[in-house]
């Protein structure tokens, strides 16, 4: 009986020893990380990850730990308690180093800043020594910088402009450290119009490896959003943009040579194009940067969100006018056109007035064509004099700028001019008696 008991004890002992040796050999060959492994199978990795997560600020959000193939390893709420999901796949790490993606669950809203900001999420790095123990840890931190913030309006492009810089910073990593595999970052938009971005890849730390994007956009809603999606983090960025002013002329062009004028409204707009109310003491200045024109007045004060000025033509060159109100400005170009129809009206009036001279009782025996030619010549001279009179003598603009006024002026001057020409001809004719 004693012999049987002793053999049984020895057998159990050998079984326990064999099982222990097999577990030891398995532990030397591989380290397996799963939701259970974080607390049981790989205590060194579990301890390093737990300490690393406790030093990272995820704002109390639930955290997902995955590999680069997107397989979930564990979910962590940044509390001491961890829960296991037996159905999750198991991840086998290499002997020397392990890289795991740690990201907030779901989409996080982050405000853009003119200073580089750390994006939620990153890649945790654990290094192992020859004794198979975790000896150090590191972190790949994605960063984003936007400039300027808020975005500013580009008058030339007719869009808001912002420069984005996306990169990786290494914490406790060698210079130029590289991810196990590149991470692709894709962009999307909500509430704005913009040309789509091509996807960028992040792989190596350092300023020299940052990706720079020129972001040109036009908001269509009160709160536009830039979307960033990647394996490391999913971010929504509410975009801030400065209000702007816009010039809205009543007419797209105006008659040149000082004969035309147009009203130009100056309105203050929200980024999405809706009019914004402003304080009445906001002042603006008006200047002509190209061409000839005269703004009246040249200094403005906004009332109930808008104001305006009259722009009087001068010459025939296109006019560019700029309005500046504090940090906001806008400019427009208004073409000046030749007064073709008033000139034609004046010539027709001159021809009619000259020809009508033949019906006068004191008319000489000149031909009708001669009177028409004389009327045309007088009318065009009178029209040019009228244009100069508007600019230098203050004559009413309507006399020469409208078709009716130009016709009437041409007819009167044509009739009177032909009459004067006939009288002078009689006086200067050979054999005529002075008297």
């Amino acid at each position: 009986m004693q012999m049987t008991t002793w053999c049984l004890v020895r057998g159990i002992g050998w079984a326990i020893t064999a099982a222990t040796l097999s577990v030891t050999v398995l532990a030397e060959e591989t380290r397996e990380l799963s939701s259970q492994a974080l607390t049981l199978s790989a205590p060194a990795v579990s301890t390093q990850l737990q300490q690393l997560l406790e030093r990272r600020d995820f704002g109390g959000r639930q955290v997902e730990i995955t590999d680069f193939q997107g397989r979930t390893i564990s979910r962590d709420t940044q509390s001491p308690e961890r829960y296991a999901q037996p159905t999750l796949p198991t991840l086998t790490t290499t002997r020397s180093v392990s890289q795991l993606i740690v990201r907030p669950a779901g989409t996080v809203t982050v405000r853009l800043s003119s200073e580089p900001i750390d994006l939620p999420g990153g890649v945790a790095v654990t290094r192992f020594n020859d004794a198979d123990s975790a000896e150090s840890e590191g972190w790949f931190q994605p960063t984003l910088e936007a400039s300027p913030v808020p975005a500013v309006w580009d008058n030339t492009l007719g869009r808001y402009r912002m420069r984005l810089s996306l990169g990786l910073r290494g914490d406790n990593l060698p210079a130029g450290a590289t991810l196990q595999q590149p991470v692709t970052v894709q962009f999307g938009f909500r509430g704005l119009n913009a040309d789509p971005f091509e996807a960028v890849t992040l792989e190596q730390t350092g300023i020299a490896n940052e990706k720079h994007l020129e972001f040109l956009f036009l908001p269509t809603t009160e709160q536009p959003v830039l979307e960033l999606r990647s394996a490391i983090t999913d971010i929504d960025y509410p975009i801030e943009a400065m209000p702007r002013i816009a010039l809205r002329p009543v007419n797209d062009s105006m008659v040149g040579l000082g004969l035309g004028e147009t009203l130009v409204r100056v309105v203050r707009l929200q980024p999405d194009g809706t009019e914004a109310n402003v304080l009445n003491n906001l002042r603006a200045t008006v200047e002509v940067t190209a061409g000839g024109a005269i703004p009246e007045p040249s200094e403005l004060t906004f009332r109930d969100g808008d104001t305006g000025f009259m722009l009087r033509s001068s010459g025939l060159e296109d006019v560019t006018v700029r309005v500046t109100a504090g940090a906001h400005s806008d400019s427009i170009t208004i073409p000046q056109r030749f007064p073709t129809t008033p000139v034609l009206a004046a010539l027709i009036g001159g021809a009619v007035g000259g020809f009508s001279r033949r019906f006068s009782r004191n008319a000489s025996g000149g031909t009708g064509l001669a009177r028409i030619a004389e009327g045309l010549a007088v009318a065009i001279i009178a029209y040019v004099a009228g244009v100069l009179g508007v600019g230098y003598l203050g004559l009413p603009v309507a006399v020469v700028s409208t078709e009716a006024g130009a016709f009437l002026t041409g007819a009167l001057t044509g009739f009177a001019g032909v009459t004067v020409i006939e009288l002078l001809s009689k006086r200067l004719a050979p054999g005529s008696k002075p008297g």
Side-chain angles (χ1 to χ4, degrees):
M1 182 64 178
Q2 292 181 350
M3 180 61 68
T4 302
T5 303
W6 170 247
C7 292
L8 182 59
V9 171
R10 289 182 62 186
I12 293 174
W14 280 108
I16 293 175
T17 302
T20 303
L21 290 175
S22 65
V23 171
T24 303
V25 172
L26 180 62
E28 291 177 353
E29 292 178 351
T30 184
R31 288 183 302 276
E32 294 184 337
L33 301 180
S34 67
S35 57
Q36 298 111 321
L38 286 174
T39 56
L40 299 175
S41 302
V45 180
S46 174
T47 301
Q48 291 292 99
L49 276 177
Q50 187 167 3
Q51 292 175 355
L52 187 147
L53 291 177
E54 288 174 353
R55 287 193 293 272
R56 296 286 164 179
D57 182 14
F58 290 96
R61 300 182 185 91
Q62 190 179 63
V63 173
E64 291 181 346
I65 302 176
T66 69
D67 64 2
F68 281 85
Q69 285 69 46
R71 296 179 297 177
T72 301
I73 301 164
S74 176
R75 294 178 180 270
D76 175 58
T77 56
Q78 291 192 206
S79 64
E81 299 178 358
R82 299 176 183 270
Y83 58 90
Q85 296 185 10
T87 58
L88 295 178
T90 299
L91 174 71
T92 301
T93 68
T94 62
R95 176 174 290 277
S96 60
V97 65
S98 169
Q99 291 190 10
L100 299 175
I101 295 175
V102 182
R103 52 170 292 157
T107 302
V108 181
T109 299
V110 177
R111 289 284 178 180
L112 289 172
S113 172
S114 56
E115 299 294 332
I117 59 174
D118 292 344
L119 304 183
V123 177
V125 181
T126 304
R127 300 185 188 87
F128 300 90
N129 57 23
D130 294 337
D132 214 28
S133 299
E135 63 177 5
S136 65
E137 64 181 37
W139 184 265
F140 286 95
Q141 177 64 60
T143 63
L144 179 66
E145 179 181 0
S147 179
V149 176
V152 296
W153 179 255
D154 191 308
N155 291 324
T156 304
L157 300 175
R159 293 287 188 274
Y160 280 96
R161 176 174 48 83
M162 179 182 288
R163 179 181 172 87
L164 303 175
S165 299
L166 189 63
L168 287 174
R169 189 188 75 247
D171 293 346
N172 196 27
L173 294 175
T178 304
L179 288 173
Q180 177 179 318
Q181 70 181 55
V183 172
T184 300
V185 181
Q186 296 180 328
F187 299 89
F189 315 112
R190 293 202 314 268
L192 60 86
N193 292 327
D195 294 333
F197 285 155
E198 293 185 1
V200 300
T201 57
L202 300 178
E203 184 175 11
Q204 199 170 10
T205 61
I207 297 177
N209 299 306
E210 288 184 348
K211 309 296 183 180
H212 302 288
L213 303 170
E214 194 71 18
F215 187 25
L216 302 175
F217 63 95
L218 189 63
T220 57
T221 61
E222 185 176 352
Q223 184 56 81
V225 176
L226 170 65
E227 301 173 341
L228 184 151
R229 301 292 184 263
S230 71
I232 298 179
T233 185
D234 291 342
I235 304 294
D236 284 349
Y237 296 102
I239 298 176
E240 297 179 3
M242 295 183 65
R244 66 184 191 271
I245 61 174
L247 304 185
R248 295 179 175 176
V250 174
N251 302 309
D252 295 333
S253 63
M254 60 182 177
V255 178
L257 301 177
L259 303 180
E261 62 180 12
T262 185
L263 172 65
V264 181
R265 290 184 62 215
V266 185
V267 296
R268 192 167 187 261
L269 302 178
Q270 298 285 12
D272 61 353
T274 58
E275 294 191 13
N277 292 327
V278 296
L279 298 176
N280 290 343
N281 59 359
L282 181 62
R283 296 184 178 276
T285 59
V286 185
E287 60 177 336
V288 176
T289 59
I294 302 171
E296 299 175 354
S298 59
E299 293 186 358
L300 308 173
T301 300
F302 281 87
R303 293 181 177 86
D304 298 329
D306 67 1
T307 184
F309 61 93
M310 295 297 299
L311 189 66
R312 183 176 298 279
S313 67
S314 178
L316 290 173
E317 185 180 357
D318 291 351
V319 178
T320 300
V321 59
R322 175 182 294 275
V323 174
T324 303
H328 314 298
S329 66
D330 189 26
S331 61
I332 56 170
T333 298
I334 300 178
Q336 296 189 100
R337 62 181 187 274
F338 185 79
T340 303
T341 53
V343 169
L344 291 176
L347 292 175
I348 294 173
V352 172
F355 184 76
S356 64
R357 170 62 181 166
R358 69 173 297 178
F359 303 106
S360 176
R361 288 186 303 172
N362 298 326
S364 62
T367 65
L369 290 178
R371 289 189 176 93
I372 291 176
E374 292 169 354
L376 290 173
V378 174
I380 194 65
I381 294 173
Y383 185 84
V384 173
V387 171
L388 295 175
V390 169
Y392 296 100
L393 301 178
L395 294 180
V397 177
V399 172
V400 288
S401 64
T402 64
E403 289 78 2
F407 177 84
L408 181 60
T409 301
L412 293 176
T413 55
F415 181 87
V418 171
T419 301
V420 172
I421 291 173
E422 289 180 354
L423 294 176
L424 291 176
S425 297
K426 289 180 181 180
R427 289 180 177 275
L428 299 176
S432 61
K433 297 180 180 181

